Amino acid sequence: MSELASRQVVETVPPAQVFPALPPGQSFQDLPSSDDEDEDDQQDDGSGPDADSEEDRRLQEMIDAIEPFSDQEVDDMIEYLKERGLFAFVKRYVQELDIPLPRLLLAFGVLIPPETTAENQVRILKITLSRVLRARNRRQDINTVDDVVDLIRKSKNIVLLTGAGVSTSCGIPDFRSPTGLYARLKEEHWELDDPQQMFDLSYFKEKPNVFYSFAKEIYPSNFVPSPCHRFAKMLEDHQCLLRNYTQNIDGLFESVGVERLLNCHGSFATASCLRCRTKFPGSAIEADVFASRVPLCPLCSAMDEEQAKLAPPVRQPPAKWSASGKGFEDDPEDERPPASEWEGKPLVKPDIVFFGEMLSDEFDRCLLHDREQVDLLIVIGTSLRVAPVSQLVSHLPHSVPQILINRDPVSHHNFDVVLLGDGDTIVKHLVHKLGSEWSLPVPRQLQDKPVQDSADATAVAMIEPERVAESHVWLYPGANRDHRWVQLVQEAFDEDSEVEDASSSGTTGAPTEDAVDQKHLEEAAPPALDVPVPASDGRPASRPRSLEQDSDNDVLGKKVKLDA
Ligand code: OAD
């Protein structure tokens, strides 16, 4: 490794000067969430073959000026990044080993011109490392439902990542399903250009009345927790829940008694004044929510009234002499109507995280802590389309097993085992297979009705999930089996077995499972959430990309939708 510390040939900016430019503290919230298409390599600017070869020569000179790393060194770096995470990587390779950023970037296949500013170098490094992190390889030793059961049994620090899909059976719609909230908001007349504006901070500031006409529909009420909520509680009771990162704001995990809980997208438990930031208990705005009224901060409102009393009466501004010299004219500025009737008002908003807002620091703190402890990740009922929560799956050590339980595939990430179907049915099946020491705790709402669970038990015992070819994907009742990704897995594994047959007859080598996974990622990722992955093992593409062609959608620390 000492060789890694050796100085480079072209040193643009000493890293020690570069990294103070990183935001203070370690935040998972300002990492790029999605990149533009890598069209760059083949881009034709129409300037013809001579220009191309001139450009190639220029690029080659830039590459030659940088001392390369060996393949083994690059592999070690990638391994370190995927296992130890982005901040540990930066600490080691930039701060301790003092590797200049252009050299480090070239190791990841990114070539930057020498004149690139320090700030841009840091920005490009973050994008590059995030790209590598997004390319998680499946663990090939974990494939079956029994593997999942064994993992749950022996894991001590399980991270759950949950979303709206765990509450649909309680009667609360999710967001992005065809019957979800956004589809409904689209159909109804809510004056929204995009249904996600309902949870957009800028839109809220302009038209808080729209949100407050709707808020009662998502306000937590007396729903009965689902088996998925109870599954989280069961893990906690067995002392193997490290934390449940939930995106839900319905309060149902609290209602079933889960304590190791992080409400990543906040909750209605408190509300804050957007002007003075005073926090109020959620109960302070409950009446307004149910009356579809916009609550205003009582403290700021009292101050505004005081000031209005003290302020001198408003005088008409003097008319201006027209530029043409033909008399007085009105100043058009004076006629500007307020941008919105709510402009300047002390709006109170429930502390649910809107698009355009930061998540609480707790998210970063918990993730930094938990990535060192976690031994199993189970993701339930989320489309993983909203950053930064969606990035959690990339920021845990890549060797930690990852399981998905969802009705629809999440095709932009490689899980080790994918259990598709109705979440409640799947967790009940897993609990059944875990054996008699494990059972879903009965929530207080069901305590007088000693439960359908016993009736369910026989049905659950009968469930036989269907395996998609010889893959790691299993279909339970309720699975979206017509999803293109499922078909692609089927085809890929069918092809795989054909190739294997051929190879066993000595004609060719079988593709690795990684290659198959990569094919799925590339083919099945929805275009809106493009995942430009350099290669199946996260190694960079062989030809470096130059800076001018590289772009990013840095999320600047705010909650963003990936499918915007
Ligand atoms: P989405 O609606 O995006 O995704 C819900 C996922 O749950 C989908 O992939 C469904 O396939 C799955 N699902 C639905 N019902 C299910 C069931 N019974 N069993 C198993 N899976 C089921 O919801 P989230 O991913 O949670 O932000 O959305 C993330 C964020 O986007 C939300 O927190 C919300 C929204 O904007 C807010 O600020 C309120």
Side-chain angles (χ1 to χ4, degrees):
M1 269 306 153
S2 61
E3 202 199 320
L4 288 178
S6 64
R7 304 219 62 81
Q8 61 160 8
V9 183
V10 176
E11 183 169 309
T12 326
V13 185
Q17 290 170 27
V18 171
F19 263 80
L22 271 175
Q26 299 174 323
S27 173
F28 291 94
Q29 297 188 39
D30 63 346
L31 302 171
S33 61
S34 157
D35 301 22
D36 288 347
E37 178 64 37
D38 285 9
E39 306 160 332
D40 44 331
D41 291 350
Q42 313 304 326
Q43 242 173 20
D44 180 3
D45 61 5
S47 43
D50 289 347
D52 276 354
S53 51
E54 180 53 36
E55 175 67 3
D56 282 349
R57 200 165 49 244
R58 195 176 74 85
L59 289 176
Q60 196 54 54
E61 277 170 17
M62 282 164 58
I63 295 168
D64 292 344
I66 296 176
E67 186 188 346
F69 290 104
S70 69
D71 282 356
Q72 185 56 52
E73 285 170 330
V74 175
D75 284 347
D76 290 346
M77 280 191 229
I78 291 172
E79 166 84 13
Y80 193 89
L81 174 61
K82 289 184 167 187
E83 282 313 295
R84 302 295 312 282
L86 196 127
F87 301 117
F89 180 91
V90 167
K91 189 161 182 283
R92 175 168 176 79
Y93 285 94
V94 180
Q95 292 176 334
E96 290 168 11
L97 296 178
D98 204 19
I99 297 171
L101 302 202
R103 183 167 180 233
L104 203 50
L105 279 165
L106 191 60
F108 287 99
V110 176
L111 179 64
I112 54 172
E115 64 273 16
T116 309
T117 63
E119 200 185 331
N120 274 337
Q121 291 187 20
V122 173
R123 197 177 164 80
I124 295 162
L125 184 68
K126 282 163 73 183
I127 295 166
T128 305
L129 298 182
S130 298
R131 277 183 177 170
V132 176
L133 280 175
R134 279 205 294 275
R136 177 179 185 271
N137 297 333
R138 270 201 61 237
R139 280 189 49 167
Q140 299 183 24
D141 55 328
I142 302 168
N143 293 292
T144 65
V145 177
D146 286 337
D147 291 340
V148 176
V149 172
D150 281 348
L151 281 168
I152 296 175
R153 212 177 266 133
K154 65 176 194 234
S155 297
K156 301 266 174 289
N157 289 300
I158 301 176
V159 165
L160 280 186
L161 169 52
T162 50
V166 299
S167 298
T168 50
S169 64
C170 311
I172 305 169
D174 66 6
F175 293 88
R176 293 173 182 78
S177 293
T179 53
L181 210 52
Y182 291 148
R184 214 192 94 195
L185 288 175
K186 228 178 200 166
E187 276 166 21
E188 296 171 0
H189 303 287
W190 285 100
E191 294 181 43
L192 303 167
D193 300 328
D194 167 0
Q196 297 184 87
Q197 271 179 331
M198 188 59 90
F199 302 104
D200 186 283
L201 187 62
S202 322
Y203 190 82
F204 178 85
K205 287 178 179 166
E206 205 183 306
K207 296 183 179 171
N209 51 316
V210 176
F211 174 77
Y212 276 107
S213 309
F214 172 74
K216 57 180 159 304
E217 307 211 18
I218 51 166
Y219 198 78
S221 46
N222 291 327
F223 291 104
V224 179
S226 71
C228 287
H229 298 108
R230 295 159 59 195
F231 180 72
K233 176 67 177 151
M234 179 194 80
L235 296 180
E236 189 168 76
D237 290 348
H238 274 258
Q239 300 187 343
C240 59
L241 178 68
L242 179 57
R243 202 174 317 274
N244 176 12
Y245 290 77
T246 189
Q247 301 165 85
N248 297 352
I249 54 171
D250 53 31
L252 282 169
F253 285 112
E254 286 95 331
S255 134
V256 82
V258 178
E259 289 175 2
R260 302 190 63 86
L261 178 70
L262 184 72
N263 284 310
C264 302
H265 290 168
S267 75
F268 276 95
T270 55
S272 301
C273 168
L274 293 187
R275 193 199 285 172
C276 70
R277 297 279 150 203
T278 303
K279 232 182 222 323
F280 303 97
S283 54
I285 63 163
E286 193 173 287
D288 295 299
V289 168
F290 284 100
S292 300
R293 211 169 37 218
V294 178
L296 298 179
C297 170
L299 308 175
C300 292
S301 299
M303 266 181 22
D304 286 353
E305 270 174 35
E306 279 303 306
Q307 273 179 356
K309 277 190 217 152
L310 295 175
V314 181
R315 281 185 301 143
Q316 288 301 321
K320 286 186 184 155
W321 187 252
S322 76
S324 63
K326 290 186 184 156
F328 290 97
E329 66 182 16
D330 292 331
D331 183 349
E333 275 291 301
D334 296 334
E335 287 167 14
R336 185 181 71 87
S340 121
E341 64 171 300
W342 301 102
E343 192 178 275
K345 300 248 170 83
L347 306 172
V348 176
K349 180 181 116 358
D351 290 334
I352 52 181
V353 182
F354 276 29
F355 293 114
E357 284 191 288
M358 297 287 285
L359 272 62
S360 83
D361 294 347
E362 198 70 6
F363 177 75
D364 291 317
R365 273 202 298 274
C366 289
L367 193 44
L368 268 178
H369 171 269
D370 294 350
R371 73 173 314 291
E372 302 304 321
Q373 320 254 318
V374 56
D375 50 11
L376 174 63
L377 170 70
I378 307 180
V379 176
I380 316 181
T382 172
S383 62
L384 285 186
R385 300 196 73 80
V386 176
V389 175
S390 59
Q391 297 170 340
L392 182 145
V393 293
S394 306
H395 286 289
L396 298 182
H398 285 207
S399 59
V400 169
Q402 300 198 356
I403 312 300
L404 174 70
I405 297 174
N406 209 43
R407 201 169 53 198
D408 296 294
V410 173
S411 51
H412 54 275
H413 185 75
N414 272 335
F415 290 95
D416 299 317
V417 182
V418 175
L419 307 179
L420 294 183
D422 169 54
D424 293 347
T425 309
I426 297 171
V427 298
K428 284 194 268 182
H429 187 238
L430 294 176
V431 172
H432 163 76
K433 290 185 79 89
L434 277 164
S436 54
E437 284 172 24
W438 299 73
S439 63
L440 295 176
V442 179
R444 73 186 146 70
Q445 294 93 329
L446 291 180
Q447 270 163 7
D448 343 330
K449 316 174 188 157
V451 185
Q452 317 128 286
D453 283 13
S454 47
D456 266 9
T458 334
V460 168
M462 308 279 288
I463 290 172
E464 277 297 335
E466 178 190 334
R467 189 172 190 174
V468 178
E470 286 302 299
S471 75
H472 55 293
V473 181
W474 298 78
L475 303 178
Y476 281 80
N480 180 358
R481 53 197 309 135
D482 296 330
H483 195 287
R484 181 162 156 64
W485 184 84
V486 176
Q487 292 164 8
L488 283 166
V489 174
Q490 178 82 50
E491 285 163 21
F493 278 84
D494 284 349
E495 274 168 27
D496 227 12
S497 57
E498 276 166 30
V499 177
E500 256 167 41
D501 288 348
S503 79
S504 58
S505 60
T507 49
T508 179
T512 64
E513 192 174 332
D514 270 349
V516 172
D517 284 339
Q518 186 58 23
K519 181 176 168 199
H520 296 157
L521 271 174
E522 284 162 0
E523 291 185 16
L529 206 168
D530 181 47
V531 184
V533 181
S536 63
D537 60 354
R539 287 180 65 91
S542 53
R543 184 176 170 200
R545 283 172 289 120
S546 76
L547 169 66
E548 303 91 325
Q549 295 157 339
D550 209 323
S551 60
D552 72 303
N553 301 329
D554 202 327
V555 301
L556 300 174
K558 293 177 178 152
K559 182 184 171 199
V560 290
K561 36 201 178 279
L562 299 186
D563 49 352

